[in-house]
Amino acid sequence: MTTLWLKLMVQVMNHAHADALPGIQLTGLSQTQGPEQVATVLKIFALLTILGLAPSILIMMTSFVRIIIVLSFLRQAIGTQVLPPNQLLVGLALFLTTFIMAPVWKGIHEEALSPYLDNKISQREAIGYAEAKIRSFMFAQTRDKDLGLFIKLAKTEAPKKKADVETYLLIPAFMISELKTAFQIGFLIYVPFLIIDMVVASILMAMGMMMLPPVIISLPFKLILFVLVDGWQLVIGSLVRSFG
């Protein structure tokens, strides 16, 4: 996306004069002179629709779902309700998503976007190449059981190969696979912090301090444990490697 933006900026600057930039004028609605103009208008509306759905596409078809859920589990397991804040978690999840999806987006740029901008392939071929790259990533993270569920719910014949699987069946299967994996990782993150809470609660009960909330005492121990084991490196490293 950054490369496409830069190309568009270069084209704008190339067409600009020394003291003027190109502008867009809306003169109103008029009758079309042929089917080509109708197709152009429809393409513009389709592009605007895709841009409006871009956040949803980012969530549904990338690694963002797994990352943000695991980070939320981590915050709850430690016991800090608002730290790190939501904006920081979402920002970290977006940058990690960019890092994980970089090979996919690079392949889309090299095999679909650049040839299309150079007029080497048609728009349909570019979309096909881009879709194939995204589908390859989703297939690698999707369980056969989840994919089979949606094939069964759609009441369609079992595909003989991956290319026969419709994208509208692959996307929800990919999402529930990501949800299951994220919850599994979240459970593993919860276990050591849960043990600390249980130990602290048992000690407080043995000392007769039942009115003191165990969370107040266990929180510093969980924080120092997380820092000593370099928890952020372990969690982020394991999370990124889970997409390998």
Side-chain angles (χ1 to χ4, degrees):
M1 295 299 294
T2 303
T3 305
L4 176 58
W5 176 255
L6 291 176
K7 287 181 177 292
L8 292 175
M9 290 298 295
V10 170
Q11 292 178 3
V12 171
M13 296 305 296
N14 288 337
H15 289 84
H17 296 289
D19 55 352
L21 291 175
I24 299 177
Q25 296 181 355
L26 299 177
T27 58
L29 300 177
S30 60
Q31 294 183 351
T32 59
Q33 302 299 324
E36 296 81 4
Q37 295 184 4
V38 176
T40 302
V41 173
L42 293 177
K43 288 180 181 179
I44 293 175
F45 277 110
L47 178 60
L48 294 176
T49 302
I50 293 175
L51 291 177
L53 296 176
S56 299
I57 294 175
L58 177 64
I59 292 175
M60 291 186 297
M61 303 172 63
T62 63
S63 57
F64 183 84
V65 173
R66 184 188 306 184
I67 295 172
I68 192 64
I69 291 178
V70 170
L71 294 179
S72 299
F73 269 122
L74 175 61
R75 183 174 65 180
Q76 293 182 5
I78 295 176
T80 55
Q81 299 299 324
V82 294
L83 293 175
N86 290 330
Q87 294 86 346
L88 181 58
L89 290 183
V90 173
L92 179 59
L94 287 174
F95 278 107
L96 290 176
T97 301
T98 303
F99 176 79
I100 293 170
M101 300 297 297
V104 178
W105 292 339
K106 182 179 179 181
I108 293 175
H109 177 265
E110 293 178 349
E111 299 182 14
L113 181 59
S114 292
Y116 174 69
L117 295 178
D118 295 336
N119 295 322
K120 295 181 180 179
I121 59 176
S122 64
Q123 183 182 27
R124 184 182 298 274
E125 291 175 330
I127 294 176
Y129 290 145
E131 183 182 8
K133 286 292 183 180
I134 295 294
R135 283 168 57 92
S136 178
F137 171 79
M138 290 192 293
F139 270 120
Q141 310 301 328
T142 304
R143 294 179 175 84
D144 294 337
K145 182 178 180 181
D146 297 330
L147 185 58
L149 170 64
F150 286 95
I151 293 176
K152 182 178 179 180
L153 292 175
K155 297 181 180 180
T156 59
E157 297 182 358
K160 298 180 180 179
K161 53 184 180 179
K162 293 182 178 180
D164 298 333
V165 178
E166 297 291 342
T167 303
Y168 78 93
L169 299 176
L170 176 59
I171 293 176
F174 168 76
M175 292 187 66
I176 64 173
S177 295
E178 288 293 281
L179 288 173
K180 181 177 180 179
T181 302
F183 274 71
Q184 289 175 342
I185 298 175
F187 170 77
L188 296 177
I189 291 175
Y190 247 104
V191 171
F193 298 108
L194 180 61
I195 293 175
I196 294 177
D197 287 334
M198 294 176 62
V199 170
V200 171
S202 299
I203 294 175
L204 292 178
M205 290 184 63
M207 297 176 62
M209 304 174 65
M210 291 179 292
M211 298 300 294
L212 182 63
V215 177
I216 298 179
I217 307 299
S218 63
L219 179 57
F221 290 99
K222 291 190 287 187
L223 289 176
I224 192 63
L225 173 64
F226 190 72
V227 172
L228 290 177
V229 300
D230 203 356
W232 285 111
Q233 183 181 13
L234 292 175
V235 172
I236 299 301
S238 301
L239 189 56
V240 173
R241 284 191 289 268
S242 67
F243 290 94

